[in-house]
């Protein structure tokens, strides 16, 4: 048993609060990410890790020292760092002659119970860093709007897992609702011809002459052109277990209430059988019942009888 696995009893209130923050919860904390440099990295990979840290912070931890490890061959050190820093996502950057400008992702990786669940290796073919875009940026911690374009994200199993992984990495804080002025940052992912294109935009709200503003997008960087390389995906059973929710979080089903695809709420009412003969309708003079004699003689006779 390692030192991290041993049962630790808190001696101070501060350590007690720290251990309570690491305990399992019904609603987990926001997912944090580790950004790790490999034993050999290029300037492109180092700058890419810095820009990804800028997009992810404050929920990110960066390791500046080099770590000689190969995640696809041995995940022990990655899992150790994950448990130590309480991070469920990681990005490992490396560079060599066989796989230049490599991100294992980017590698991108995802943890379940502090064990590697998914790893997808992406190679950087083209990169424009954040510092090359000379314009104003968005505030730190802004929740981005994620847009995925391309049929591959729906057809290919690897691209579906990559879409889920990118959503986990960039989704930002969980909020109950978003106002229009709060949509300041857009991340656009495009899958085309075996490549993944990542673009970052700032939303500009312009005057349109009506209540709804005119929206324009301004590229603020960084810009990536990725190519998909190696993958290490969890089995379907393990992937299903990782997505399992506690029973306490599942919404209780209410009888006779349903929702459509747009979230509209519908209710069903059960009523007793009605006798329409006793139904009270609107009273009109033309529908009044005539007297017995007038009804037998007809309307013309009744009119003559009332004439003096």
């Amino acid at each position: 048993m390692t030192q991290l696995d041993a049962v630790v009893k808190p001696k101070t209130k501060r350590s007690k609060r720290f251990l309570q923050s690491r305990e399992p919860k019904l609603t987990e904390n926001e997912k944090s990410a580790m950004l790790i440099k490999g034993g050999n990295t290029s300037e492109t990979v180092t700058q890419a890790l810095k820009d990804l840290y800028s997009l992810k912070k404050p929920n990110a931890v960066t390791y500046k020292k080099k770590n000689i490890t190969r995640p696809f061959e041995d995940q022990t050190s990655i899992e150790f760092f994950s448990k130590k820093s309480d991070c469920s996502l990681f990005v490992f950057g490396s560079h060599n002659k066989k796989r230049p400008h490599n991100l294992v992702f980017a590698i991108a990786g995802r943890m379940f119970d502090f064990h590697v669940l998914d790893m997808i290796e992406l190679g950087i073919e083209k990169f424009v860093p954040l510092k090359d875009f000379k314009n104003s940026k968005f505030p730190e911690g802004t929740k981005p709007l994620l847009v995925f374009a391309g049929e591959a994200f729906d057809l290919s199993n690897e691209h579906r897992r990559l879409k889920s992984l990118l959503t986990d990495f960039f989704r930002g804080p969980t909020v109950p609702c978003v106002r229009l002025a709060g949509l300041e940052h857009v991340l656009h992912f495009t899958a085309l011809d075996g490549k993944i294109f990542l673009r970052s935009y700032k939303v500009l709200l312009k005057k349109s002459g009506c209540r709804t503003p005119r929206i324009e997008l301004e590229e603020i960087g960084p810009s990536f052109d990725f190519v998909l390389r190696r993958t290490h995906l969890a089995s379907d059973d393990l992937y299903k277990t990782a997505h399992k929710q506690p029973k306490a979080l599942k919404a209780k089903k209410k009888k006779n209430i349903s929702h459509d695809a747009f979230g509209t709420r519908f209710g069903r009412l059960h009523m007793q059988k009605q006798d329409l003969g006793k139904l009270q309708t609107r009273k009109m003079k033309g529908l009044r019942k005539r007297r017995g004699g007038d009804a037998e003689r007809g309307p013309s006779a009744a009119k003559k009888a009332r004439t003096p």
Side-chain angles (χ1 to χ4, degrees):
M1 181 181 290
T2 62
Q3 188 177 359
L4 289 175
D5 294 330
V7 177
V8 181
K9 292 184 179 180
K11 296 181 180 180
T12 61
K13 291 184 178 180
R14 183 180 179 182
S15 60
K16 184 178 180 180
R17 289 195 299 267
F18 175 78
L19 292 176
Q20 286 177 348
S21 66
R22 294 291 185 94
E23 290 178 353
K25 305 178 183 65
L26 287 176
T27 304
E28 292 291 342
N29 302 329
E30 295 178 21
K31 292 185 178 181
S32 299
M34 303 182 296
L35 293 100
I36 306 170
K37 290 176 64 175
N40 186 22
T41 57
S42 62
E43 185 180 352
T44 300
V45 171
T46 303
Q47 188 61 44
L49 291 174
K50 289 181 180 180
D51 289 356
L52 289 174
Y53 174 71
S54 300
L55 294 177
K56 182 63 179 173
K57 65 180 183 182
N59 300 313
V61 178
T62 180
Y63 290 92
K64 297 181 179 179
K65 292 184 178 181
K66 295 183 178 181
N67 296 273
I68 302 174
T69 183
R70 295 180 176 87
F72 278 95
E73 298 173 10
D74 183 18
Q75 297 98 24
T76 307
S77 59
I78 298 293
E79 293 171 355
F80 172 80
F81 285 129
S82 171
K83 194 165 187 178
K84 183 179 179 181
S85 58
D86 193 24
C87 293
S88 56
L89 301 165
F90 73 91
V91 178
F92 182 86
S94 63
H95 172 75
N96 53 50
K97 187 176 181 180
K98 186 177 181 180
R99 298 182 181 89
H101 311 310
N102 208 37
L103 288 178
V104 185
F105 226 158
I107 302 166
R110 175 164 47 186
M111 301 287 186
F112 170 61
D113 195 22
F114 298 113
H115 295 286
V116 174
L117 181 69
D118 290 332
M119 283 193 300
I120 298 178
E121 189 175 65
L122 301 175
I124 302 175
E125 287 199 339
K126 185 180 178 182
F127 170 58
V128 182
L130 198 63
K131 61 183 180 181
D132 288 1
F133 292 87
K134 307 297 183 181
N135 47 19
S136 60
K137 304 298 188 291
F138 52 88
E140 179 183 319
T142 302
K143 185 177 178 66
L145 175 66
L146 305 181
V147 181
F148 291 89
E151 295 181 351
F153 285 124
D154 298 322
L155 301 178
S156 171
N157 185 41
E158 293 181 348
H159 283 78
R160 278 199 298 266
R161 292 285 183 94
L162 177 61
K163 178 181 177 180
S164 174
L165 185 55
L166 293 172
T167 303
D168 269 354
F169 192 88
F170 292 109
R171 67 186 306 167
T174 303
V175 293
C177 57
V178 180
R179 62 191 181 98
L180 180 60
L183 294 175
E184 300 181 61
H185 185 207
V186 175
L187 286 174
H188 193 278
F189 303 92
T190 306
L192 183 65
D193 298 333
K195 296 182 181 180
I196 309 296
F197 302 95
L198 167 59
R199 299 293 183 267
S200 177
Y201 300 99
K202 183 179 180 181
V203 179
L204 303 177
L205 303 179
K206 302 288 187 178
K207 292 183 179 180
S208 62
C210 57
R211 291 189 63 184
T212 305
R214 180 171 55 87
I215 296 176
E216 292 184 2
L217 298 179
E218 180 185 11
E219 189 171 1
I220 58 175
S223 172
F224 290 95
D225 289 0
F226 292 121
V227 59
L228 193 62
R229 290 178 179 165
R230 294 179 294 175
T231 60
H232 171 84
L233 303 179
S235 63
D236 294 337
D237 295 336
L238 182 60
Y239 191 75
K240 185 177 180 181
T241 305
H243 282 73
K244 189 176 181 180
Q245 287 187 339
K247 291 183 179 180
L249 286 180
K250 294 182 180 179
K252 294 183 179 179
K253 189 176 180 180
K254 296 182 180 179
K255 291 180 64 176
N256 304 320
I257 294 179
S258 59
H259 297 80
D260 63 0
F262 301 100
T264 307
R265 187 178 180 184
F266 294 95
R268 178 180 294 180
L269 298 177
H270 297 273
M271 301 178 64
Q272 296 179 353
K273 188 176 180 180
Q274 292 181 324
D275 185 3
L276 300 181
K278 298 180 180 180
L279 186 66
Q280 180 66 43
T281 58
R282 186 180 177 185
K283 295 181 179 180
M284 297 177 61
K285 290 184 179 180
L287 298 177
R288 287 180 181 175
K289 293 182 179 180
R290 298 189 181 92
R291 297 177 183 178
D294 294 345
E296 293 175 359
R297 288 179 293 175
S300 56
K303 189 174 181 181
K304 290 179 181 180
R306 287 196 297 273
T307 306

